[in-house]
Amino acid sequence: MPHRTELYEDPPSACWPIVYSPDYNITFMGLEKLHPFDAGKWGKVINFLKEEKLIADDFIVQAREATDEDLLVVHTRRYLNKLKWSFVVATITEIPPVAFLPNFVVQRKVLKPLRTQTGGTIMFLFERVQGVSKATIIDLDAHQGNGHERDFMDDHRVYIMDAYNRYIYPGDGFAKRAIKRKVELEWGTEDTEYLQKVHTHVEGALNELRPDIIVYNAGTDILDGDPLGGLAISPQGIVKRDEVVFKAARRRRIPILMVTSGGYQKRTARIIADSILNLHNLGLIDKELATSGAGNPKVEQMIRDTAKDLTNLSLQ
């Protein structure tokens, strides 16, 4: 399938490896408040980083909306067609009033932000970028990553490490078959045990297979008090977790794409910003890294073209 060049063109060299669009944020008549997820957290993270003088609007790579052609790489036409029905979107988003909105409003106010988030993150590396034959997904969101696990179930080019609360949604036994390194956590797991397991298994995963790129799912729903995650990690623990993953990637000179993922408390935006600042202060992310390259130059070019987190920082 030929790809759209818009999602893959080279951004200005002065940009930070942070991909974002104001269109990520979902706001419409207060409906976003009916869901526990903070649908405006990406804008809050950006504002925190601006307050700290780390970035300015001109230095952010602008994410672009994914089209049906992009989405059809992993979704069926039948599924995309179902999104033309508002009640289906209401079911998927778990916001029942969406069912009563005209679909053109749903497309513009709900699905466009989601498509733009996707456009900021998507890679489709194996078909798009020469020199990429192996990828490792490090999934540290509190929930099992059954979506990508089902997508890559029989794809031996993708190694999946997943650390999650074993007792919460989705509990997808079939998808677990795709996990190469499974770390099932107990209710209320705290910093010391969590960070030890993250360090051990990230190192183990990257020693077991050296990938051409790491995709890091850095969900903040592991935070103590999160209503859905069920774990008890402190803000400092989350900052340290991200540091552990980035240091492991740096030691091996492997490019990394980070997406911010789940997190169901208002304070998660500040924690994400603090983690980004910490990574910057440690020299693990900066503009020079994005342009000079720490590994495969073709992969790094792709990262500058498509990602939206640190080396890349994807604020999705």
Side-chain angles (χ1 to χ4, degrees):
M1 177 190 300
H3 68 269
R4 293 167 63 241
T5 58
E6 289 88 346
L7 291 180
Y8 299 88
E9 63 187 31
D10 195 17
S13 60
C15 286
W16 279 85
I18 296 178
V19 186
Y20 168 74
S21 168
D23 286 341
Y24 286 179
N25 304 290
I26 301 175
T27 56
F28 183 66
M29 297 174 61
L31 286 178
E32 68 280 359
K33 297 177 182 177
L34 299 177
H35 194 279
F37 192 86
D38 182 0
K41 77 171 185 179
W42 308 281
K44 294 175 185 176
V45 173
I46 290 294
N47 287 335
F48 285 135
L49 296 179
K50 288 178 179 177
E51 290 172 4
E52 299 290 342
K53 309 301 183 187
L54 180 67
I55 60 171
D57 286 336
D58 292 344
F59 299 149
I60 299 170
V61 179
Q62 290 295 315
R64 293 170 177 165
E65 183 179 356
T67 66
D68 282 3
E69 180 184 336
D70 299 308
L71 300 175
L72 285 168
V73 174
V74 293
H75 294 296
T76 64
R77 172 62 67 183
R78 180 172 178 269
Y79 176 78
L80 297 183
N81 285 338
K82 287 171 68 174
L83 299 180
K84 296 176 182 177
W85 296 91
S86 296
F87 76 88
V88 173
V89 180
T91 301
I92 293 171
T93 60
E94 300 178 334
I95 305 177
V98 167
F100 301 101
L101 296 176
N103 193 255
F104 77 89
V105 174
V106 174
Q107 293 291 329
R108 187 171 72 246
K109 294 295 186 177
V110 179
L111 295 180
K112 181 177 180 179
L114 300 181
R115 287 191 295 264
T116 306
Q117 293 168 22
T118 300
T121 302
I122 61 171
M123 298 176 299
F124 310 146
L125 288 177
F126 303 122
E127 292 83 8
R128 311 306 198 197
V129 182
Q130 267 191 327
V132 179
S133 60
K134 301 183 297 294
T136 290
I137 296 174
I138 296 175
D139 188 345
L140 301 186
D141 187 273
H143 299 82
Q144 177 199 352
N146 63 325
H148 60 74
E149 288 158 10
R150 284 176 174 262
D151 288 342
F152 297 113
M153 176 64 68
D154 298 311
D155 194 330
H156 300 294
R157 300 169 298 182
V158 179
Y159 181 107
I160 297 174
M161 172 197 159
D162 196 352
Y164 54 89
N165 184 336
R166 67 192 305 168
Y167 300 109
I168 62 173
Y169 177 89
D172 189 335
F174 176 77
K176 289 180 183 180
R177 295 167 45 191
I179 304 173
K180 300 294 194 300
R181 186 170 285 259
K182 180 169 57 178
V183 186
E184 295 194 321
L185 303 170
E186 300 293 323
W187 286 108
T189 298
E190 297 181 348
D191 285 17
T192 300
E193 177 186 355
Y194 180 78
L195 291 171
Q196 182 272 322
K197 287 184 175 179
V198 167
H199 180 271
T200 297
H201 290 285
V202 166
E203 291 290 327
L206 297 178
N207 287 339
E208 192 169 329
L209 175 74
R210 183 186 176 90
D212 299 309
I213 188 168
I214 296 167
V215 179
Y216 171 36
N217 184 4
T220 48
D221 51 358
I222 64 170
L223 181 63
D224 186 24
D226 189 280
L228 300 182
L231 303 177
I233 310 305
S234 70
Q236 297 77 18
I238 290 176
V239 171
K240 184 63 179 178
R241 174 200 66 174
D242 295 347
E243 180 183 323
V244 166
V245 175
F246 271 78
K247 283 183 173 179
R250 172 62 62 83
R251 282 194 299 273
R252 294 166 175 82
R253 301 180 65 82
I254 304 171
I256 180 170
L257 162 74
M258 174 173 125
V259 293
T260 54
S261 191
Y264 303 91
Q265 298 185 72
K266 297 299 183 184
R267 57 183 176 143
T268 58
R270 178 72 254 184
I271 296 169
I272 293 167
D274 287 343
S275 180
I276 295 169
L277 291 166
N278 180 61
L279 294 170
H280 169 60
N281 292 337
L282 293 171
L284 295 170
I285 166 182
D286 57 35
K287 286 184 287 189
E288 286 67 32
L289 281 175
T291 55
S292 65
N296 183 332
K298 292 178 180 177
V299 175
E300 283 154 0
Q301 179 65 51
M302 174 281 307
I303 286 181
R304 294 199 303 274
D305 293 349
T306 68
K308 63 172 178 129
D309 265 75
L310 299 176
T311 7
N312 259 32
L313 204 118
S314 176
L315 296 177
Q316 171 256 343

